[in-house]
Amino acid sequence: MGTEPAIRCGPLPKPDMIPANPSPTQPVRWQALWRDAIREPQALLDQLGLGHLSHRVSAEATAQFALRVPQGFVARMRHGDPDDPLLRQVLPLVEETFSVPGFALDAVGDLPSSAANGVLHKYRGRALLVATGSCAVHCRYCFRRHFPYAEQTAAANDWESALAALTADTSIHEVLLSGGDPLSLSTEKLAQLTDRLRGVPHIRRLRIHTRLPIVLPERVDDELLTWLTRLPWPCAMVVHANHANELDENVFSAFARLHRSGVNLLNQSVLLKGVNDSVPALADLSERLFSGGVLPYYLHQLDRVSGAAHFEVSDTQALALHEQLCAQLPGYLVPRLVREVAGAAAKLPLASVTPATHHVSDSRYSM
Ligand SMILES: *Cc1c(COP(=O)(O)O)cnc(C)c1O
Ligand code: SF4
């Protein structure tokens, strides 16, 4: 199976918990929806009326990083549109197999800074816990597509050494649950983890980086909300949507439930060619997020990970888009345009890392 991270999404429901014929009033458990995700490129294309596009799909890319997309996310794709911005994020195209100079396996320097226990402590005051390698959706541009999850997730170590590291370092005030997608763990497992952190006096905030409320909003169930409500710390949740079409009524309903449980909602996006590389796409996304009570946080310039070159937007174009977005929206709806630079003290504003030859008024950028 190549380097596909093992799918460890927490215990699946016991067979006796899934009635053979669920009654229509019974909510479908998120684990069942997770399990029913589409994994065959041809099945996805057929379902969208795009069966004739199979030559655009790479078996090699699929073997390296499997296709995975929940049915509910596919339902938001436009039928018959090969350029659908949601489809583009998940379809393993032949372009992924092209070798492009500058696109490497560990684009953000995670490997040198990672402790074997799944804790990444790159920035002052906050440490990121790679809680699991699993995700409900496989995003083709993801910088973690080559990450050696099996060895480096905290769960692989039974949490002990990760918890020990977080407990010992009194400079850590914020714990970020990340992955993979931390909400792919069972709520029970999440509660075990936060119960262990409860007594640690230097921890003041919890943050959760997750795409699940977007791609599988059913994950935001009563059990999860109960866990969130009982957390002893203020909690920020950074969701990940790249295009307004990702935000349907089910997602808004998940946002509303999260709000009611006291969670502060932010969004991060990746600037992706063919997905959101236009001012209208970015403005629509911000406006739609806000109508669901979510503030835009970061717009990431793509990490130059091998296989993702066809998503790259040039820095010049990125800065121009961002400047136009600033001219169009209130400041609080403009995400910070950043790039991750190995060894830097924070995510850096793109304007500060781009060579001085850049002029934002110069619109003659190449696509
Ligand atoms: C992105 C990231 C963070 C969070 O950075 P913020 O600027 O606080 O959002 C923390 N730790 C690591 C290792 C990260 O990659
Ligand atoms: S972007 Fe997030 S949800 Fe998508 S594959 Fe990467 S870690 Fe998983």
Side-chain angles (χ1 to χ4, degrees), residues 120 122-123 126-128 176 207 209 297-298 340 347:
L120 295 176
K122 291 205 265 189
Y123 305 147
R126 49 225 199 270
L128 184 154
L176 274 83
R207 194 190 322 177
H209 279 195
Y297 180 37
Y298 280 143
E340 182 145 7
K347 312 262 190 282

Side-chain angles (χ1 to χ4, degrees), residues 26-53:
Q26 189 152 15
V28 185
R29 294 191 54 137
W30 65 272
Q31 289 99 333
L33 294 169
W34 173 294
R35 208 176 36 204
D36 291 344
I38 297 192
R39 299 164 204 224
E40 289 294 332
Q42 193 58 45
L44 175 60
L45 290 174
D46 287 343
Q47 191 172 328
L48 293 168
L50 296 168
H52 57 286
L53 288 183

Side-chain angles (χ1 to χ4, degrees), residues 66-84:
L67 171 106
R68 178 167 201 105
V69 55
Q71 287 282 1
F73 195 74
V74 176
R76 297 169 231 165
M77 297 175 184
R78 288 186 294 250
H79 192 86
D81 182 357
D83 299 321
D84 179 85

Side-chain angles (χ1 to χ4, degrees), residues 179-298:
D181 196 314
L183 295 193
S184 59
L185 295 169
S186 68
T187 304
E188 188 189 350
K189 189 94 184 139
L190 292 167
Q192 282 168 14
L193 172 65
T194 50
D195 281 351
R196 295 286 306 275
L197 292 173
R198 240 167 225 278
V200 182
H202 51 267
I203 296 177
R204 302 172 191 161
R205 291 182 296 278
L206 185 77
R207 194 190 322 177
I208 302 168
H209 279 195
T210 175
R211 192 149 158 67
L212 265 164
I214 309 294
V215 299
L216 194 67
E218 295 81 359
R219 175 65 185 96
V220 185
D221 59 8
D222 290 345
E223 205 188 348
L224 187 82
L225 296 171
T226 302
W227 170 66
L228 288 167
T229 309
R230 292 184 183 161
L231 290 175
W233 318 278
C235 179
M237 185 176 284
V238 183
V239 299
H240 172 177
N242 300 309
H243 193 280
N245 291 2
E246 292 172 43
L247 309 174
D248 69 0
E249 288 314 313
N250 291 335
V251 175
F252 280 135
S253 144
F255 289 161
R257 294 196 298 276
L258 288 166
H259 272 297
R260 281 200 295 275
S261 66
V263 170
N264 299 285
L265 284 169
L266 302 165
N267 181 67
Q268 57 181 342
S269 311
V270 182
L271 184 56
L272 299 166
K273 186 170 171 180
V275 174
N276 58 12
D277 57 335
S278 75
V279 176
L282 293 169
D284 284 354
L285 174 61
S286 278
E287 303 226 25
R288 202 156 162 77
L289 282 166
F290 189 67
S291 71
V294 183
L295 286 172
Y297 180 37
Y298 280 143

Side-chain angles (χ1 to χ4, degrees), residues 135 137 139 142 180 211 240:
C135 297
V137 65
C139 313
C142 181
R211 192 149 158 67
H240 172 177

